[in-house]
Amino acid sequence: MGKRKDETTPMSRPSWEEYFMDIACLVARRSTCLRRQVGAIVVRDKRILATGYNGAPTGLPHCLDIGCLRKELDIPSGERHELCRGLHAEQNVIIQAAYHGVCISGGTLYCTNLPCAICSKMLINAGIDEIKYKEGYADAMAEEMLKAAGVKVTKIHSD
């Protein structure tokens, strides 16, 4: 382990897993969702391929600015995803990769939350091999589909 310049204490370096999850958490801070801030990155060969956070499509008003439709309609978390102005972080990471011509097949998704069923289907078809997440998401269908598709799913326990 290296030493910090002009110090005698060892430098604490994060593992790759910690490093990438920390970046996903930083990406989540760009979210414009009032209910849940989610960040996602796709990594392959220790290189970040794309990032995404949840929020309204480009050029449209954000919930942060005009309010949350789901809150107004009293829709519980994890239900009726179509009644939301925003895209999920996982959807945005796939879209950003496609927009910039970056292949994410064979990649690992680091996400602050376990993806919902809709995002899980998209990630399976995008060729994501592994998902590492920080917090759970109450969606048994997503978990079943990911398992059936052979996508490795790991919860990262933070300190």
Side-chain angles (χ1 to χ4, degrees):
M1 188 165 301
K3 303 264 186 206
R4 293 191 187 274
K5 188 176 182 178
D6 298 326
E7 291 184 18
T8 58
T9 57
M11 183 171 61
S12 176
R13 228 177 143 202
S15 68
W16 285 108
E17 189 174 83
E18 291 169 324
Y19 173 72
F20 291 129
M21 187 54 75
D22 285 351
I23 293 171
C25 290
L26 180 62
V27 170
R29 291 177 50 199
R30 289 285 306 153
S31 170
T32 58
C33 179
L34 296 171
R35 296 179 101 183
R36 181 187 311 254
Q37 287 69 49
V38 180
I41 67 171
V42 175
V43 174
R44 191 176 57 234
D45 299 326
K46 297 180 183 169
R47 301 292 182 259
I48 298 170
L49 303 177
T51 67
Y53 55 86
N54 55 329
T58 303
L60 298 185
H62 296 285
C63 298
L64 189 63
D65 300 321
I66 62 173
C68 175
L69 177 63
R70 293 174 59 80
K71 185 175 181 179
E72 292 168 20
L73 298 174
D74 198 30
I75 299 169
S77 180
E79 296 180 17
R80 306 290 313 269
H81 296 285
E82 75 279 7
L83 295 177
C84 179
R85 290 182 190 94
L87 291 149
H88 289 188
E90 303 91 328
Q91 294 168 339
N92 271 327
V93 80
I94 292 168
I95 291 165
Q96 284 303 306
Y99 186 86
H100 293 288
V102 176
C103 176
I104 59 173
S105 181
T108 297
L109 177 83
Y110 285 83
C111 194
T112 56
N113 287 78
L114 183 64
C116 71
I118 294 168
C119 291
S120 293
K121 291 184 272 188
M122 295 174 73
L123 293 163
I124 290 166
N125 276 3
I128 295 296
D129 286 344
E130 185 172 6
I131 295 171
K132 296 186 180 205
Y133 70 99
K134 187 174 180 179
E135 298 175 3
Y137 191 87
D139 196 329
M141 179 183 248
E143 293 180 49
E144 291 170 16
M145 285 190 296
L146 291 166
K147 183 178 181 180
V151 177
K152 183 179 178 188
V153 178
T154 306
K155 181 173 182 172
I156 295 177
H157 300 282
S158 53
D159 299 331

